[in-house]
Amino acid sequence: MSDTIIRVENLSKKYIIGHKQQESYTALRDVIANGAKGLLKPFQNGKSNIQNSSDEFWALKDVSFEIKQGDRVGIIGRNGAGKSTLLKILSRITEPTKGSIKIKGRVASLLEVGTGFHGELTGRENIFLNGAILGMGKVEIQRKFDEIVAFAEVEKFLDTPVKRYSSGMYVKLAFAVAAHLEPEILIIDEVLAVGDVQFQKKCLGKMEDVSKNEGRTVLFVSHNLGVVHAFCSRCILLGQGTVLADDTTDKAVGTYLRTLEKASSQSLLERTDRNGNGLAKLAHIEIYTGGSYSSVTLTTGYSAIFIFHVTKMIAGLSCCFTIYDQYGQPVTYFDSAIYSKEDMTNLEKEAKFICEIEEFLLIPGRYIINATLMCNGEFVDDVKGATFFNIEEGRIRSRAVSKEAGFGNVLLPHRWKTPI
């Protein structure tokens, strides 16, 4: 008997994008309004100022793969690659346009905060509701109940309607239910990022346990390539709805980083894989060495300048960026001051943020920058893989620093004292 638990063959999903927005439901007032519009049509000479047109968008195109029982598979790719659409089809939330999927066993999905929960029900009631949805009996759910509550750390709020839970509490309980009610397949989207760091580690440990020790299959979507690299033995890389790579995690992540690097070579304003409200956008990033000339190659121990050009300045705007190593693991983070109303009175001020680093203490290697603009706690613009740069060998206090020396990623300023 084959141990293939998921088989996807020539899977495609098409969406129709209309230029006139459609409401998700129709209320009584809408029926009345639409009826009135119909009565007016004969008096409008058959003309209308509203142009209804639509475009086809293929979120997935001829995707095929197989997953074995007990596999830990990462699904990676840029924003808009088709990751969430694939998970929704596998979770039976939406139907494919073409192709087929065959799944053996029960599937538990955690795709967004509140998935499968009813806001008016308490945490206790939602545990039993989710168990029933998975086809479990009351006795079977009761057997796992205490373990679920302990893992989720929500004992005090167990009899509170979940609509009053914070997003972190929601995710904790939702993950605990999904992981402990013994589905054969566990599908987890980026939603785990909502929880705190300690809970994320706890979740990853649980996923590893149910995969290795209980033989369950885990599909995991995350932009944190370091976590994917540590947890998954295999990765499927999606790009524009197609499979770009289906290989070991090392090879798939390497391919993904090369696609990000290729994307970073184009103007940031041309990038479509970005998030935010769009009030301002990152237009260009410049990197300067200590010699004050532009370069994508810096030197360990020397100064560096990062200049983030934006389309316009608005009051309350700030810029932050994270540097990742070649495996997608975050290394260090920088956050600017907030651009104030007083700054806006200086008309000569250019629309840019400048970050100066006196001594750049990263070891030699290839690094990635994810850049973000924030305003009043909201994402204005967020670009993954906004630019890349290299660090070459340098010297710190007359001591050579090389990539092969095994120093880690960051060198911290320090001094030694000899005890007297």
Side-chain angles (χ1 to χ4, degrees), residues 231-343:
F231 175 70
C232 302
S233 56
R234 170 188 166 196
C235 269
I236 297 172
L237 170 62
L238 294 179
Q240 296 183 334
T242 62
V243 176
L244 301 181
D246 183 356
D247 213 321
T248 63
T249 300
D250 276 338
K251 292 182 179 179
V253 168
T255 302
Y256 178 42
L257 293 177
R258 286 191 292 273
T259 64
L260 285 179
E261 187 168 357
K262 184 178 179 180
S264 71
S265 63
Q266 69 182 117
S267 168
L268 282 182
L269 289 177
E270 296 175 6
R271 295 274 296 271
T272 58
D273 57 327
R274 63 206 308 153
N275 293 315
N277 59 29
L279 294 177
K281 290 185 178 181
L282 289 156
H284 179 55
I285 300 174
E286 291 182 287
I287 302 175
Y288 286 87
T289 67
S292 297
Y293 62 90
S294 179
S295 176
V296 293
T297 300
L298 304 173
T299 305
T300 300
Y302 289 78
S303 60
I305 300 173
F306 295 85
I307 303 177
F308 297 83
H309 296 266
V310 300
T311 53
K312 67 175 180 179
M313 284 294 193
I314 55 178
L317 193 68
S318 66
C319 179
C320 58
F321 66 100
T322 305
I323 295 178
Y324 293 79
D325 65 16
Q326 60 184 332
Y327 302 109
Q329 190 69 25
V331 174
T332 188
Y333 170 82
F334 300 87
D335 196 351
S336 77
I338 295 175
Y339 191 79
S340 67
K341 291 182 179 179
E342 288 73 20
D343 293 325

Side-chain angles (χ1 to χ4, degrees), residues 15-227:
Y15 290 102
I16 302 298
I17 304 175
H19 294 288
K20 181 183 177 184
Q21 187 175 356
Q22 299 295 320
E23 293 185 82
S24 58
Y25 70 97
T26 303
L28 177 60
R29 65 177 181 273
D30 303 313
V31 174
I32 297 171
N34 291 335
K37 289 178 184 177
L39 292 172
L40 290 173
K41 281 184 179 179
F43 302 97
Q44 294 176 340
N45 298 322
K47 295 181 180 180
S48 173
N49 293 326
I50 300 174
Q51 298 296 322
N52 292 326
S53 60
S54 61
D55 296 319
E56 291 184 354
F57 171 70
W58 289 90
L60 295 173
K61 294 179 289 187
D62 297 321
V63 172
S64 299
F65 58 85
E66 291 185 2
I67 296 177
K68 306 289 186 182
Q69 182 177 348
D71 282 354
R72 292 174 291 168
V73 181
I75 301 177
I76 58 177
R78 294 164 61 183
N79 292 331
K83 304 183 298 296
S84 295
T85 300
L86 176 59
L87 295 194
K88 287 177 181 177
I89 293 175
L90 293 175
S91 303
R92 307 291 190 184
I93 293 174
T94 187
E95 291 293 321
T97 305
K98 297 179 182 178
S100 65
I101 58 172
K102 296 179 181 177
I103 299 176
K104 295 180 181 178
R106 296 181 299 200
V107 178
S109 304
L110 189 56
L111 306 185
E112 59 185 31
V113 176
T115 299
F117 276 14
H118 192 295
E120 298 295 336
L121 299 181
T122 66
R124 183 188 306 274
E125 291 165 338
N126 271 293
I127 292 175
F128 282 92
L129 173 64
N130 273 256
I133 291 172
L134 286 173
M136 301 178 70
K138 185 176 180 180
V139 174
E140 193 175 2
I141 299 171
Q142 287 175 330
R143 182 168 54 86
K144 289 284 185 178
F145 186 85
D146 290 341
E147 192 176 349
I148 291 171
V149 174
F151 188 94
E153 303 169 353
V154 293
E155 294 93 336
K156 293 182 180 179
F157 308 97
L158 196 56
D159 294 306
T160 301
V162 297
K163 67 180 182 181
R164 297 196 177 97
Y165 284 17
S166 67
S167 58
M169 291 167 61
Y170 233 127
V171 169
K172 286 183 177 183
L173 184 58
F175 179 85
V177 170
H180 287 82
L181 291 184
E182 300 181 350
E184 283 75 22
I185 302 166
L186 183 61
I187 299 178
I188 305 292
D189 204 344
E190 191 72 43
V191 67
L192 285 186
V194 175
D196 56 70
V197 174
Q198 286 301 116
F199 188 74
Q200 288 179 37
K201 292 180 179 178
K202 192 174 178 180
C203 291
L204 291 171
K206 182 62 180 178
M207 288 193 293
E208 189 167 2
D209 179 59
V210 300
S211 176
K212 283 185 176 180
N213 300 329
E214 301 176 26
R216 290 188 246 168
T217 303
V218 180
L219 273 66
F220 182 54
V221 171
S222 178
H223 285 291
N224 189 330
L225 298 182
V227 174

Side-chain angles (χ1 to χ4, degrees), residues 396-411:
I396 296 180
R397 295 174 183 82
S398 301
R399 182 177 179 180
V401 176
S402 66
K403 185 177 181 179
E404 291 75 23
F407 288 119
N409 278 327
V410 181
L411 301 167

